[in-house]
């Protein structure tokens, strides 16, 4: 069997570990051939490929990013996109696809499967917001990077008696903000799942200063205030209809300064969270996902996504994996209400 592999959406630590596991087991155990599609769904859409054999995946386990490249191309928004993909897969002699990505990439994979394309999905997102899997690879690395940054902010905040805000990724789900903030001892954590009250945030800031310590606020990029409290700017949309976010940290800093008279500064981690070498946890999880994904493709389990449930790697339907986002259940953290502003 000849199998295509692609990585779509935002890059993520651990992508190369998945590719390596898929190819090494696929070639060494099953005798399959592989072709890499470049830059997400743009690859099969435009017929852009690269060789993908044992030599191509040597030494890539610790590397961040993806050797295949990525993009946010949405073939469903392109006239005749599905037909172009089918034609290019046939031209390349590809019998099946392994698509590695998040909600958007795997949403396309689900639609292609419904139209007759043999697809297996692998869950990738630093946001940890894919349904039907306990964890996605990339999340642990992103949390550790954010935690280390917040650790460093503590000392400089106390030296200068400033309120410091750390803006992390998280469009609809606040998993990174929650885990990194709790691990690093943040005083306030603001997540998309619960609109925050700016008056309460400022009260926490002033209370922290009274202890002669400086406050640390962690805010997910998708966090937003209670309606009517603060004005937020509208952003342009990407190919999947998502607003390009960023800037809530700076808006928050200005409001805190205006309301409390205390100096506030913002650090935006942005793509730093995506870059660099993956943690041991993400390398192992990504490798296990890759091994199970090639098993699924070999056994004809198409229309599925590999997932971590408990300690086991299983397969679930792409429809279940993409039907809704896995967001932070705020009620579960009720005892830590202070974190949510």
């Amino acid at each position: 069997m000849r199998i295509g592999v692609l990585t779509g959406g935002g890059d993520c630590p651990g992508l190369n570990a998945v590719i390596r596991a898929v190819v090494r087991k696929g070639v060494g155990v099953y005798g399959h051939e592989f072709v890499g599609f470049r830059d997400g769904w743009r690859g099969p859409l435009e017929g852009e490929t690269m060789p993908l054999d044992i030599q191509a995946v040597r030494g890539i386990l610790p590397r961040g990013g993806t050797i295949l490249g990525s993009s946010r191309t949405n073939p469903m928004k392109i006239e005749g996109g599905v037909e172009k993909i089918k034609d290019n897969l046939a031209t390349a002699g590809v019998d099946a696809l392994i698509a590695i990505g998040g909600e958007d990439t795997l949403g396309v994979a689900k639609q292609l499967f419904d139209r007759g394309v043999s697809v297996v999905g692998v869950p990738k997102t630093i946001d940890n917001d894919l349904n039907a899997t306990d964890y996605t690879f990339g999340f642990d690395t992103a949390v550790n990077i954010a935690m280390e940054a917040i650790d460093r902010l503590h000392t400089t905040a106390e030296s200068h008696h400033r309120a410091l805000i750390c803006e992390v990724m998280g469009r609809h789900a606040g998993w990174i903000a929650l885990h990194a903030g709790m691990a690093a001892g943040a005083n306030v954590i603001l997540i998309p799942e619960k609109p925050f009250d700016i008056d309460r945030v400022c009260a926490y800031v002033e209370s922290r200063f009274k202890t002669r310590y400086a406050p640390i606020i962690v805010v997910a990029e998708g966090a937003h205030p209670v309606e009517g409290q603060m004005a937020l700017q509208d952003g342009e949309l990407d190919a999947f209809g998502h607003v390009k976010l960023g800037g809530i940290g700076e808006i928050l800093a200005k409001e805190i300064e205006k309301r409390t008279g205390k100096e506030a500064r913002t650090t935006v981690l942005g793509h730093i969270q995506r870059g660099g070498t993956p943690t041991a946890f993400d390398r192992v999880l990504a490798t296990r996902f890759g091994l199970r994904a090639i098993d699924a493709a070999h056994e004809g389990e198409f229309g599925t996504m590999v997932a971590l449930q408990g300690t086991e790697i299983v397969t679930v339907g792409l429809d279940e994996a993409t039907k809704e986002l896995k967001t932070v259940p705020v009620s579960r953290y009720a005892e830590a209400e202070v974190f949510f502003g």
Side-chain angles (χ1 to χ4, degrees), residues 74-93:
N74 185 356
M76 298 302 168
K77 295 289 187 179
I78 298 173
E79 186 174 355
V82 174
E83 289 70 25
K84 289 180 181 178
I85 287 177
K86 286 185 173 182
D87 289 344
N88 286 328
L89 292 179
T91 300

Side-chain angles (χ1 to χ4, degrees), residues 66-309:
T66 164
I67 62 170
L68 297 177
S70 191
S71 73
R72 295 192 182 277
T73 302
N74 185 356
M76 298 302 168
K77 295 289 187 179
I78 298 173
E79 186 174 355
V82 174
E83 289 70 25
K84 289 180 181 178
I85 287 177
K86 286 185 173 182
D87 289 344
N88 286 328
L89 292 179
T91 300
V94 171
D95 304 298
L97 271 178
I98 293 179
I100 311 166
E103 55 164 324
D104 295 326
T105 301
L106 297 187
V108 170
K110 167 64 170 61
Q111 294 181 69
L112 288 175
F113 174 71
D114 291 342
R115 291 163 172 78
V117 179
S118 298
V119 185
V120 172
V122 178
K124 171 252 27 159
T125 168
I126 65 170
D127 293 326
N128 198 41
D129 60 0
L130 266 169
N131 197 35
T133 184
D134 292 345
Y135 285 99
T136 55
F137 67 88
F139 173 67
D140 186 70
T141 303
V143 167
N144 275 278
I145 291 170
M147 180 194 69
E148 290 177 7
I150 298 164
D151 284 347
R152 296 174 187 274
L153 290 177
H154 274 287
T155 55
T156 188
E158 290 167 13
S159 297
H160 293 277
H161 311 292
R162 291 170 174 160
L164 287 189
I165 299 161
C166 183
E167 181 182 316
V168 300
M169 286 185 169
R171 174 185 302 279
H172 301 297
W175 292 108
I176 295 176
L178 176 64
H179 282 240
M182 291 182 71
N187 306 108
V188 178
I189 300 171
L190 306 177
I191 60 177
E193 290 85 344
K194 182 175 180 180
F196 62 86
D197 183 333
I198 187 60
D199 292 326
R200 291 189 68 198
V201 172
C202 290
Y204 292 141
V205 167
E206 293 177 320
S207 175
R208 178 69 172 174
F209 275 121
K210 289 178 182 177
T211 66
R212 302 189 64 81
Y213 286 94
I216 299 290
I217 300 165
V218 178
V219 57
E221 62 184 349
H224 54 280
V226 173
E227 188 174 352
Q229 280 198 337
M230 295 163 53
L232 301 181
Q233 294 180 335
D234 294 329
E236 58 182 298
L237 304 181
D238 65 16
F240 288 91
H242 300 309
V243 175
K244 295 181 180 180
L245 297 176
I248 183 62
E250 195 59 38
I251 295 172
L252 199 58
K254 291 178 180 177
E255 283 292 323
I256 289 173
E257 286 193 345
K258 183 174 70 174
R259 292 167 181 257
T260 68
K262 303 294 186 181
E263 189 176 8
R265 293 288 184 271
T266 301
T267 297
V268 181
L269 295 186
H271 289 80
I272 291 173
Q273 296 156 94
R274 293 191 183 280
T277 187
T279 60
F281 180 90
D282 280 339
R283 295 185 198 193
V284 173
L285 180 58
T287 298
R288 294 181 70 197
F289 277 160
L291 296 175
R292 186 65 184 89
I294 188 58
D295 288 343
H298 178 75
E299 295 163 8
E301 293 183 63
F302 300 119
T304 63
M305 180 191 81
V306 296
L308 175 68
Q309 295 186 354

Side-chain angles (χ1 to χ4, degrees), residues 31-46:
H32 296 314
E33 295 181 9
F34 293 88
V35 58
F37 285 100
R38 291 188 177 276
D39 301 335
W41 288 114
R42 189 181 70 80
L45 191 64
E46 300 180 5

